[in-house]
Amino acid sequence: MNPIFFEIGTLSIRWYGVMAALGFLTASILLEKNRRFVDGLTKDQCGTMMIITLIAGILGARIYHVIEFFHEDGFDKDPVTIFYIHRGGLVFYGGFILAFISLVIYTLKNKLDTIRILDIFVPSLTAAHAFGRTGCFLNGCCHGAVTDSFWGVPAPIGTKLRLAGAMVHPVQLVEAAENVILCIVFCLLLRKGAKRGTVVSAYLMTYGVLRFFNEMLRVDEKYILNLTGAQCISLLLIITGAGLLFYSLHREKKNACIHNHK
């Protein structure tokens, strides 16, 4: 795992940045293709939403990391390093939450169909996440626990494990592969005419379950009921997804009844 893509003198380009850029590009292309599933959604609005979610995602991911590792990563001793995001230190769930909130606010403010837009954002999110997790692997961060399994990879030197040469779970690649599969499935569901709200509901529940079990391969700190922070958020995502699915199907049924009575 070499975090450097290439170097020119003192300038170095890291794989994490390259993967993030590719993820954003892929996400933008998918959103543009899927905007046809939302009536009246313009190309400019898609571009604006992508920029908003990108900025909010990076900001939220960094805030979550700084809060969780404030003392461990020495941010209290050297506050300037809080802004060194080129070194890594972004937490997906932090970015997801702030980007989600920002997207909802934008759609409500512009009187757009919030739930349907969340539906078409799901393939873009999973694609970007897949690239991001690949970047994590190349950067040597977010790795798994020590393992003697045949699929173990050498722990990156200088990690919190302090175990140069130890074999760890490549959980980043596992999650990247999961997101690729989710991206394909949700693109197909949209093309097959998935009902409003079902795609985002399915994503929240499915990713929540996957991430909950992926955490068992990692070494994150435990909090409530011996669960990691990500596992707690995963449970909330599963509950939210189930609630949103119930609401969407109930509303669909109610609208169908009203239409039939007309």
Side-chain angles (χ1 to χ4, degrees):
M1 289 176 277
N2 185 356
I4 306 301
F5 176 55
F6 73 86
E7 292 180 302
I8 301 177
T10 58
L11 175 65
S12 62
I13 305 297
R14 302 177 73 91
W15 271 112
Y16 192 88
V18 173
M19 290 295 109
L22 290 174
F24 179 77
L25 177 62
T26 305
S28 299
I29 293 172
L30 284 174
L31 186 62
E32 172 60 25
K33 287 184 175 296
N34 290 329
R35 74 181 175 90
R36 62 191 172 97
F37 298 112
V38 181
D39 293 335
L41 184 63
T42 68
K43 186 174 183 178
D44 286 343
Q45 287 174 324
C46 282
T48 299
M49 288 188 289
M50 282 301 302
I51 296 299
I52 289 174
T53 53
L54 172 65
I55 295 174
I58 294 174
L59 184 60
R62 188 58 174 176
I63 290 173
Y64 191 115
H65 177 83
V66 170
I67 292 175
E68 185 170 15
F69 300 103
F70 189 72
H71 297 292
E72 188 175 350
D73 281 6
F75 296 121
D76 53 334
K77 298 178 181 178
D78 190 6
V80 176
T81 57
I82 290 175
F83 303 99
Y84 291 178
I85 61 173
H86 60 284
R87 295 181 179 177
L90 300 174
V91 178
F92 170 75
Y93 267 147
F96 172 81
I97 292 171
L98 191 56
F100 182 88
I101 293 172
S102 300
L103 183 59
V104 169
I105 291 174
Y106 175 84
T107 57
L108 291 176
K109 183 178 179 181
N110 290 274
K111 298 180 180 180
L112 300 171
D113 187 341
T114 301
I115 293 179
R116 195 53 175 164
I117 285 176
L118 291 175
D119 280 335
I120 68 167
F121 249 87
V122 167
S124 295
L125 171 61
T126 51
H129 199 182
F131 277 102
R133 281 303 183 212
T134 304
C136 288
F137 177 77
L138 295 170
N139 194 53
C141 59
C142 306
H143 53 77
V146 174
T147 180
D148 56 3
S149 174
F150 72 92
W151 73 342
V153 296
I157 298 174
T159 62
K160 294 177 181 129
L161 284 177
R162 303 286 193 273
L163 294 174
M167 306 300 284
V168 297
H169 285 290
V171 67
Q172 315 99 313
L173 296 183
V174 171
E175 195 161 338
E178 291 170 348
N179 274 284
V180 169
I181 295 172
L182 290 179
C183 180
I184 294 171
V185 169
F186 291 130
C187 279
L188 291 175
L189 286 177
L190 285 172
R191 291 187 178 185
K192 293 293 184 180
K195 294 181 179 179
R196 178 178 179 272
T198 55
V199 172
V200 64
S201 300
Y203 168 74
L204 292 174
M205 292 186 288
T206 304
Y207 180 72
V209 171
L210 292 173
R211 182 59 187 271
F212 185 91
F213 287 105
N214 286 345
E215 282 293 298
M216 296 179 181
L217 302 177
R218 296 175 56 154
V219 289
D220 295 343
E221 186 176 348
K222 303 292 193 299
Y223 295 104
I224 304 172
L225 299 177
N226 202 37
L227 299 175
T228 67
Q231 285 178 317
C232 293
I233 296 175
S234 293
L235 291 176
L236 291 177
L237 254 62
I238 295 169
I239 295 171
T240 302
L244 182 57
L245 180 61
F246 175 80
Y247 166 78
S248 298
L249 294 178
H250 177 73
R251 180 172 176 175
E252 184 78 17
K253 184 178 180 180
K254 183 178 180 180
N255 290 339
C257 290
I258 293 175
H259 179 75
N260 291 332
H261 281 92
K262 287 182 179 180

